């Protein structure tokens, strides 16, 4: 996916997730209209409860995006704090923290997320915790590596020779230098968060079925597709794949732009 196309697709996805439910208003279940195929009246057909599937998918996409953004934000803040602490402290503390990071990376993220989410099944905070607590090590490792590289820069050494304390140097020079990298890491985490939320809800340990999300819609479609209602699976699946690809392409574009030489836009 081209970089400019990624931003266009991402903008369309966000506008659809926010605008379609607002324009459609509150839907009422109509079982007499259940599992109708796509038509001019219902562009994406209806689900097994008679809801317009396009509106229902937009509502689920909005929930999935909200959870993904909160998860990525929490994981980034946690990873940033741990990475900064490890790099500044150094020595045995840095060694212990990095071994913990390696231990977390060795654990299967999905399995650990299922265990955490299953303890409080259906609770949005459990979904957020299960994703955030399994994705912070990548941010911590990137932040620590960037800090160690910046710490040897001439302007940082000049500040130290001028008598600045370690915490002043960290607050005024080191942390601002890695904030941009942390934001890039947060954007890159978004597609992972969308996939994990959808997977947890699809497996039945995420959000409750009455709450629309891409995962719950895909889970409900397992039974509907056996009756020939293929659109109940296809529409949320396309929304999920398009969202994940758009976020991944946008994160790659931001990362490449930060690495580009001065004066080169893309």
């Amino acid at each position: 996916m081209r970089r400019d196309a990624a931003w266009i697709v991402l903008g369309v996805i966000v506008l659809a997730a926010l605008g379609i439910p607002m324009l459609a208003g509150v839907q009422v279940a109509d079982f007499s209209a259940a599992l109708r195929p796509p038509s001019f009246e219902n562009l994406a057909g209806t689900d097994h409860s008679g809801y317009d599937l396009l509106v229902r998918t937009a509502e689920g996409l909005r929930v999935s995006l909200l959870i993904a953004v909160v998860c990525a934000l929490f994981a980034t803040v946690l990873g940033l704090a741990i990475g900064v602490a490890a790099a500044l402290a150094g020595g045995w503390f840095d060694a212990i923290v990095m071994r913990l990071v390696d231990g977390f990376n060795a654990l299967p993220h999905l399995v650990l997320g299922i265990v955490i989410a299953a303890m409080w099944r259906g609770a949005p905070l459990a979904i957020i915790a299960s994703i955030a607590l399994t994705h912070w090590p990548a941010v911590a490792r990137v932040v620590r590596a960037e800090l160690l590289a910046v710490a040897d820069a001439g302007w940082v050494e000049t500040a130290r020779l001028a008598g600045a304390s370690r915490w002043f140097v960290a607050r005024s020079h080191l942390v601002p230098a890695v904030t941009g990298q942390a934001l890039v890491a947060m954007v890159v985490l978004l597609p992972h968060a969308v996939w994990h939320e959808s997977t947890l809800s699809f497996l039945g340990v995420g959000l409750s079925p009455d709450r629309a999300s891409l995962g719950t819609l895909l889970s409900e479609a397992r039974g509907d597709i056996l009756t020939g209602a293929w659109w109940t699976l296809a529409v949320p699946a396309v929304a999920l794949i398009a969202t994940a690809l758009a976020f991944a392409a946008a994160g790659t574009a931001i990362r490449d732009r930060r690495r580009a030489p001065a004066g080169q836009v893309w």
Side-chain angles (χ1 to χ4, degrees):
M1 182 181 295
R2 290 177 56 85
R3 293 163 182 167
D4 51 353
W7 290 110
I8 295 175
V9 172
L10 191 58
V12 171
I13 289 173
V14 174
L15 288 176
L18 297 176
I20 292 179
M22 185 181 301
L23 294 175
V26 179
Q27 291 200 95
V28 179
D30 183 6
F31 293 99
S32 64
L35 297 181
R36 288 182 177 177
S39 62
F40 287 107
E41 184 179 357
N42 304 106
L43 297 179
T46 60
D47 63 6
H48 67 282
S49 298
Y51 292 118
D52 186 290
L53 189 58
L54 182 61
V55 178
R56 191 71 169 164
T57 301
E59 292 173 350
L61 180 59
R62 181 176 57 186
V63 173
S64 295
L65 288 177
L66 178 60
I67 292 178
V69 170
V70 175
C71 290
L73 180 61
F74 279 8
T76 301
V77 171
L78 182 59
L80 179 64
I82 294 176
V84 169
L88 293 181
W92 62 268
F93 183 81
D94 181 32
I96 292 176
V97 169
M98 297 316 297
R99 296 298 75 76
L100 289 175
V101 170
D102 293 338
F104 266 92
N105 282 330
L107 295 174
H109 289 178
L110 181 57
V111 175
L112 184 58
I114 291 174
V115 172
I116 297 174
M119 297 174 65
W120 298 277
R121 182 172 298 183
L125 287 179
I127 307 298
I128 295 173
S130 66
I131 299 175
L133 293 177
T134 55
H135 286 76
W136 66 265
V139 181
R141 186 176 290 278
V142 169
V143 169
R144 174 183 175 273
E146 190 76 12
L147 273 178
L148 293 178
V150 173
D152 295 330
W155 46 275
V156 175
E157 190 64 27
T158 301
R160 289 172 176 167
L161 293 176
S165 65
R166 173 181 294 186
W167 293 110
F168 177 84
V169 172
R171 184 178 67 254
S172 303
H173 300 289
L174 298 182
V175 173
V178 299
T179 301
Q181 190 66 31
L183 291 177
V184 173
M186 184 180 72
V187 175
V188 174
L189 278 177
L190 286 172
H192 294 277
V194 172
W195 277 112
H196 274 254
E197 183 279 323
S198 300
T199 302
L200 292 174
S201 297
F202 178 79
L203 294 176
V205 295
L207 297 176
S208 57
D210 61 303
R211 294 183 177 179
S213 76
L214 295 180
T216 57
L217 293 177
L218 291 172
S219 180
E220 293 174 354
R222 287 183 296 181
D224 297 336
I225 199 173
L226 296 177
T227 64
W230 54 268
W231 55 90
T232 60
L233 178 66
V235 174
V238 169
L240 173 60
I241 294 173
T243 301
L245 290 178
F247 272 123
T252 302
I254 295 175
R255 182 173 56 195
D256 292 344
R257 185 167 187 174
R258 285 182 54 82
R259 293 176 179 176
Q264 179 179 336
V265 177
W266 292 108

